[in-house]
Amino acid sequence: MKEAKKLIGMGLLVGFINPLFFSDNQQWYQGFACLLAAFIGGGLLFSFKDYAVAPKKIGNADEAPQINQTWMFFFIGAVANLLWATLYV
């Protein structure tokens, strides 16, 4: 069960929501669905409770940012999903 949950989370992070739910054409809400898929994918892959710890020092050039892997995978998954939603034909 744990491996299946992680596989579903990885699929949502990579953008498999696009061919499953938007197979024939693009919709105006596809980007929002992709962001939701990235959020759910990061939560399934690691833990939803890690979203409570907000990233710190983002954009501060003097110090290294502090971010946990759930948020990092959400950001990576959001970029991948939104690119796929934009370029998906």
Side-chain angles (χ1 to χ4, degrees):
M1 181 65 183
K2 195 173 188 179
E3 291 83 14
K5 186 172 89 168
K6 287 189 183 250
L7 281 174
I8 292 170
M10 281 188 241
L12 288 172
L13 275 175
V14 172
F16 286 150
I17 188 173
N18 290 303
L20 291 176
F21 294 109
F22 305 104
S23 59
D24 34 349
N25 55 5
Q26 290 180 328
Q27 301 292 329
W28 66 268
Y29 53 86
Q30 188 171 356
F32 297 113
C34 288
L35 285 176
L36 180 65
F39 181 81
I40 293 171
L44 285 176
L45 202 56
F46 296 105
S47 174
F48 284 103
K49 67 179 178 177
D50 289 341
Y51 282 124
V53 181
K56 297 177 183 117
K57 302 176 186 168
I58 301 283
N60 187 356
D62 297 332
E63 298 182 40
Q66 297 172 356
I67 186 168
N68 61 21
Q69 54 188 350
T70 305
W71 275 106
M72 183 56 71
F73 270 82
F74 166 70
F75 291 143
I76 293 170
V79 169
N81 272 305
L82 291 176
L83 271 175
W84 197 349
T86 305
L87 303 174
Y88 190 69
V89 178

